[in-house]
Every structure is written in C-alpha cells, then in structure tokens.
Amino acid sequence: MEQLLKIGVSACLLGQEVRFNGGHCNHRFLTHYFSKYAVFESVCPEVAIGMGIPRKSVRLEREDATSDAVRMIEPKSGHDYTDDMVAYSAEKAAELNDLDGFVFKKNSPSCGVFRVKIYQNDQPSERRGTGLFAQAIMERYPELPVEEEGRLSDPFLRENFVERVFAFRRVKDLFDRKWSRRDVIAFQAREKLLLMAHAPHKAKLLGQLVGRIKQYQRDDFAAAYIQAYMGCMNTNPSKGRHTNAMMHMAGYLKNKLSQSGRAELASVISDYRQGYVPMTVPMALMQHMIRRLEEGYLANQTYLAPHPRDLALRNHV
C-alpha cells in the first residue's frame, strides 16, 4: 500500500489516560495490528474543552418530553457542557477533512455512535442517543466509515469496517489525481463484485451513474460518485449477498472448468452459505482457479483482496 490510511480515534482507545477516571481503554486491534496500515488522529473532546483528568462523569439529558434535543450535563453539579462541546465539535470536525474512517468510544456522551443513554428526569434511561462530537463528525462527513470499538470485537463488523475504510481511500484517490472517464469505468469494473456483495441494487444505480458521466461537470460527478459509491459500501453485506457475488464469479469460470471443478466450487460456496466454513475457504479456491485459468477480469477484482491479507479479517466471517 502506497499511502497510510488516516483514521480518527477516540484517544482513550490508543492507550492515552484521558478517561473520566484517569484510565484508558487501549484497543489491541487498533494499536497492535491496524496501526501498520494507518496513522491515527487521536481526539478526546471532553479533555479538549477543559473538563480535566480525572473528572466527574457527564451524561446526555433530554431537554423536555416534546423535543429530541439533548444536553450534555454533569448530573451531580448540574453543570451544562453542551455549548462548549457543540462549538468544539464543529471546529474540530472542520479540521478533520481528510479522514478515511473514525473509531469512537462506545457509550460516551461525546463519542458514542450507537445506543448512548439519554436521561430525562427520574425516568429510566433510553439507549437511543449519539454523542455530541460523534454526531458532528457524521453530519459533516456522511460518507465517512465510522464504528465503535466495542463492535470491532465482532469479526463481521470488524472486517466490514476495515473494508469500508480502504474503499473510501481508493475512491478518494481516484478523484484526487487527474482522472478521465476511462479511469472511472476501469475503477467501476474492478469494484463491481465488491459492490454487489454490499448492495446489488445500489451497485446497479452506481453503474447507471457512470453511464451518465458526460452529463456532469467534473467536480459534480466526482462528488456524486463518491456519495453513491460509499452509500453502497456503507450498506452491510450479508452471507446471501456474498454467496451471490461468489456465484457470479463462478459463472465466469464455468466454461473453463471441468464438471468436477464446477461441482467442487459450487459445493464450497454452498458450505460457506450454510455456515460450515469461513469466507476464506471459497475465496481461496476461487483465487486458485482464477490463477490457474488466467482469468484476467476476475483477477483484477478488488473483492478478492479488499484489505491486507495479514489482517486475516475474513478468517472468521
């Protein structure tokens, strides 16, 4: 890989002792494995607005029952950090304009992405909030791949996040240089099966967008393509869609394979679909057959290797 990824990360996940209790939550996958392919932009918004280490915990509180607006409050003192956090988040988000992804701290009133607790008076909390800083990042950069560190323990979600991060870098690299219609068509061809594994319908619409490229100004097309491409990639794949993409690949090989070869490939893909073997098994067989048969179109498919092999992300998917 020519260029390291640039990944935003909640600072505590990189081993920095910035949590409210003075501790950290070092995330081993990030610091011991993924760091080989990325430089990290560490951020602790709570420290950045002067809340100190250690500090009293804060939480999200709903303003009233008729509004979805929330405030970031220190419950013991009633101190309201909302305005400071919102102002800092907007300023920092504007600075972070070349990220390829972001990993946030789960459950945090500033950094949580999913199911952050929201309180209202003495009622039980509701897990349906988003931290104020995370929300600012996602609103400013809707195509940016984001994830929480807790969800990275799930092999499927970890592989999916890393896949999306590398995809975002690839599509930005396409348009960061002098590009032509031919470059876009070639890129679309290489990404076809990966897109199919994520969202076949959106992949088809993306192909139609490429077909209308002459109708756009260059910058407008680049923006529209990146938005549509990441809209597809940010749709989680499924075992069924992976199976469909693999069967599509097998279709390119059927006239070059013997009957026993076709049967072997179909059997291994079926085993994957039924959960008997991980994704690496049919993909390894597919790659072997592609090399042996010198199938150039499939050999160039990003789907075969959407991220570095030594991360072993598909071993348990």
Side-chain angles (χ1 to χ4, degrees), residues 49-85:
I49 64 172
M51 291 177 65
I53 309 169
R55 56 187 175 274
K56 295 179 180 179
S57 62
V58 293
R59 67 187 193 182
L60 298 181
E61 295 186 6
R62 191 179 311 284
E63 289 185 349
D64 58 67
T66 62
S67 172
D68 287 332
V70 296
R71 312 290 296 180
M72 197 172 85
I73 306 293
E74 182 184 294
K76 291 187 177 179
S77 66
H79 188 91
D80 190 333
Y81 288 98
T82 308
D83 293 341
D84 288 342
M85 182 59 71

Side-chain angles (χ1 to χ4, degrees), residues 107-151:
N107 297 331
S108 165
S110 58
C111 289
V113 177
F114 309 103
R115 305 183 72 244
V116 178
K117 288 182 178 180
I118 298 178
Y119 295 82
Q120 183 181 346
N121 300 326
D122 295 327
Q123 300 178 22
S125 62
E126 299 178 356
R127 279 195 172 275
R128 60 188 191 93
T130 300
L132 300 185
F133 176 71
Q135 183 174 349
I137 294 291
M138 292 188 293
E139 287 179 352
R140 188 175 183 92
Y141 306 110
E143 287 84 35
L144 183 72
V146 301
E147 193 51 273
E148 290 183 339
E149 100 287 358
R151 287 163 49 95

Side-chain angles (χ1 to χ4, degrees), residues 85-101:
M85 182 59 71
V86 169
Y88 168 79
S89 298
E91 179 181 354
K92 189 65 177 178
E95 294 177 9
L96 300 175
N97 57 11
D98 192 31
L99 293 181
D100 301 311

Side-chain angles (χ1 to χ4, degrees), residues 237-255:
S238 66
K239 187 165 288 188
R241 288 193 287 271
H242 276 308
T243 299
N244 179 56
M246 292 179 196
M247 293 299 293
H248 197 80
M249 296 177 77
Y252 281 91
L253 300 174
K254 67 179 181 180
N255 292 331

